[in-house]
Amino acid sequence: MLYGVSVGCGDPLDMTIKAVRTIERCDTVFVPRTGGEKSLALRIASGAVDMSAKQLIHLDFPMTRDTQELENAWDSASETVCEVLREGDAAMICLGDVSIYTTFSYISGRVEAKGFETKWLPGASSVTAAACAANIPLVCGNEPLHILPYGCEGFSEMLAANGTKVIMKCGKKAPQLLQELEERGMLESCIAVENAGLENERVTYGRDIPADVGYFTVFILR
Amino acid sequence: MLYGVSVGCGDPLDMTIKAVRTIERCDTVFVPRTGGEKSLALRIASGAVDMSAKQLIHLDFPMTRDTQELENAWDSASETVCEVLREGDAAMICLGDVSIYTTFSYISGRVEAKGFETKWLPGASSVTAAACAANIPLVCGNEPLHILPYGCEGFSEMLAANGTKVIMKCGKKAPQLLQELEERGMLESCIAVENAGLENERVTYGRDIPADVGYFTVFILR
């Protein structure tokens, strides 16, 4: 069995009991890695579970839009995972919630195709963690919620949709987004949450949102 | 301090470490109640924390669309909460994640206006728990995610939007929704997740989704 374990987005105490126990029970833990940086997911998990006796296997995911290169990386990572699964259960840790924009999605199907089972463990996502950091609800009553990667197909129209909009994956293009919100008269109602749950968490509002807002920022428009 | 504690949507082990510790530390726990039914949130919390020595205070929220009646209930519940907060910290437990469709949203602002602080603790929402129960990602790569209460303003147009659609709060109108999806050629790709995380969890697909699908069902269109 391969467990896809959500570790939340910053504070190890935001991990679920099941996430902690599942990692504790598995001898091997897969750690997704993009661009070779230190894994925040591993740092979080290490804050709640003693990882010293674990076999940690990094799985490399390239930062590219080249479909063939991505497919090759997913195939290769999945093969590594399957080799371990032949010996027993293993966990793959994922930042935030495992069902929202994680590399586990690309591994699980391939691993299932090879005859292994997978189990997805839900957790605190960066979307709701950001709202919690700002002490606000995302949605009440009958309001819809739209989670929009910046620049996704139909982004501009969806920005005008009824309900709360959460903008993710803005990366270095924050100044561009802030400019767009300004032009559309939406900047005043924007909340930027950087590094929710981490020691450098910062919540800024409207015109006070700095142009150099961090890479991992969630924008909430409500 | 009033803690808004997410308890997840079914399995007590899906509670976060912080949720458990926070409830443990508070002598008084507020339990939202609608229509006088037994609280699922309380059942979940009781599965992870010994509640026997706690002062449990039920807060009643009427099932009505009468704005004045709702405002009165929220005012009254908030006064009850403030009385306790004058003596010390307390927790209010919420099903799923506290930032998504919870009664805490109506209490926190009122309590803050009376000079008390609130802290929101994120957790596993029914949205991601449903996807995890179905062993599928909600969104990958650059896909948007739309969380739509059934019949919200603009529902039909949003159903046609690019990305994954999660339909909530369908209640007894599931046959109506399934009919609408059928007419729009979307039924085949629909997944219905009932009672994610509970012992009667059930995942059904497309034309196999039963007409008597449960009240607490999350529909995923991907």
Side-chain angles (χ1 to χ4, degrees):
Chain A
M1 174 79 84
L2 176 66
Y3 295 93
V5 180
S6 307
V7 299
C9 60
D11 189 336
L13 300 181
D14 285 338
M15 286 174 67
T16 67
I17 307 170
K18 204 187 283 171
V20 170
R21 290 191 188 165
T22 301
I23 298 172
E24 280 173 348
R25 226 175 32 232
C26 293
D27 294 330
T28 300
V29 176
F30 295 104
V31 182
R33 184 165 60 178
T34 311
E37 93 284 21
K38 282 187 186 171
S39 165
L40 178 55
L42 179 58
R43 197 179 115 196
I44 296 169
S46 302
V49 183
D50 177 8
M51 306 291 269
S52 58
K54 305 282 180 202
Q55 181 186 28
L56 298 178
I57 301 181
H58 286 85
L59 300 176
D60 281 306
F61 296 92
M63 281 188 90
T64 175
R65 291 175 187 237
D66 182 312
T67 319
Q68 192 55 57
E69 197 182 335
L70 285 170
E71 295 271 349
N72 291 347
W74 300 336
D75 286 344
S76 162
S78 302
E79 273 172 38
T80 305
V81 171
C82 286
E83 274 171 40
V84 171
L85 290 178
R86 279 179 201 107
E87 309 298 317
D89 292 350
M92 179 167 165
I93 54 176
C94 300
L95 209 52
D97 182 282
V98 63
S99 71
I100 298 184
Y101 308 125
T102 69
T103 46
F104 185 72
S105 308
Y106 306 117
I107 301 302
S108 62
R110 287 172 166 77
V111 161
E112 284 173 3
K114 297 274 186 186
F116 298 102
E117 284 188 293
T118 65
K119 186 152 182 62
W120 302 53
L121 308 188
S125 74
S126 60
V127 179
T128 66
C132 286
N135 269 33
I136 56 157
L138 279 176
V139 271
C140 297
N142 231 27
E143 296 167 351
L145 171 62
H146 309 277
I147 297 166
L148 310 174
Y150 185 50
C152 67
E153 191 193 323
F155 178 80
S156 288
E157 301 86 78
M158 291 171 187
L159 212 48
N162 172 36
T164 302
K165 273 75 66 177
V166 171
I167 303 165
M168 315 272 294
K169 294 171 171 261
C170 196
K172 293 174 182 163
K173 293 183 181 161
Q176 205 170 308
L177 168 66
L178 294 171
Q179 172 78 32
E180 183 171 349
L181 294 176
E182 167 89 284
E183 283 163 12
R184 299 177 66 158
M186 299 175 83
L187 183 58
E188 287 295 353
S189 67
C190 184
I191 302 176
V193 182
E194 296 167 81
N195 308 306
L198 290 169
E199 62 288 340
N200 57 347
E201 174 183 294
R202 183 166 63 157
V203 183
T204 48
Y205 301 85
R207 294 183 192 287
D208 293 333
I209 299 171
D212 67 341
V213 73
Y215 195 86
F216 289 114
T217 299
V218 173
F219 298 87
I220 303 174
L221 288 155
R222 202 192 128 75
Chain B
M1 174 79 83
L2 176 66
Y3 294 93
V5 180
S6 308
V7 300
C9 59
D11 189 336
L13 300 182
D14 285 338
M15 287 174 66
T16 67
I17 306 170
K18 204 187 282 172
V20 171
R21 290 192 189 166
T22 300
I23 298 172
E24 281 173 347
R25 225 175 33 232
C26 291
D27 294 331
T28 300
V29 177
F30 295 105
V31 182
R33 185 164 60 179
T34 310
E37 92 285 21
K38 281 189 185 168
S39 165
L40 177 56
L42 180 57
R43 195 179 118 196
I44 297 170
S46 302
V49 183
D50 177 8
M51 306 291 270
S52 59
K54 304 282 180 201
Q55 182 186 27
L56 297 179
I57 301 181
H58 287 86
L59 300 176
D60 281 307
F61 296 91
M63 279 188 90
T64 173
R65 291 177 189 236
D66 183 312
T67 320
Q68 192 55 56
E69 198 182 334
L70 284 171
E71 295 270 349
N72 291 347
W74 299 336
D75 286 344
S76 162
S78 303
E79 275 173 36
T80 305
V81 171
C82 286
E83 275 170 39
V84 171
L85 291 179
R86 279 178 203 108
E87 309 298 318
D89 292 349
M92 177 167 167
I93 53 175
C94 300
L95 209 52
D97 182 283
V98 65
S99 71
I100 297 185
Y101 308 125
T102 70
T103 47
F104 185 73
S105 307
Y106 306 117
I107 301 302
S108 62
R110 288 170 165 78
V111 161
E112 284 174 3
K114 298 274 186 188
F116 298 102
E117 284 187 293
T118 65
K119 186 152 182 63
W120 303 53
L121 309 189
S125 75
S126 60
V127 179
T128 65
C132 285
N135 268 32
I136 56 156
L138 279 175
V139 271
C140 298
N142 230 26
E143 296 168 353
L145 170 62
H146 308 277
I147 297 165
L148 309 175
Y150 185 50
C152 67
E153 191 192 325
F155 178 80
S156 287
E157 300 86 77
M158 289 171 189
L159 213 46
N162 172 37
T164 302
K165 275 74 67 176
V166 172
I167 303 166
M168 315 271 295
K169 294 170 171 263
C170 195
K172 293 173 182 163
K173 294 183 181 161
Q176 205 170 308
L177 169 66
L178 295 172
Q179 172 79 31
E180 184 171 348
L181 294 178
E182 166 90 283
E183 284 163 11
R184 299 177 67 158
M186 300 175 81
L187 184 57
E188 287 295 353
S189 66
C190 185
I191 302 176
V193 181
E194 296 169 79
N195 309 307
L198 290 168
E199 62 286 342
N200 56 349
E201 174 182 294
R202 182 167 62 155
V203 183
T204 47
Y205 301 85
R207 295 185 191 286
D208 293 333
I209 299 172
D212 67 342
V213 74
Y215 195 85
F216 288 115
T217 300
V218 173
F219 299 87
I220 303 173
L221 288 154
R222 196 190 134 74

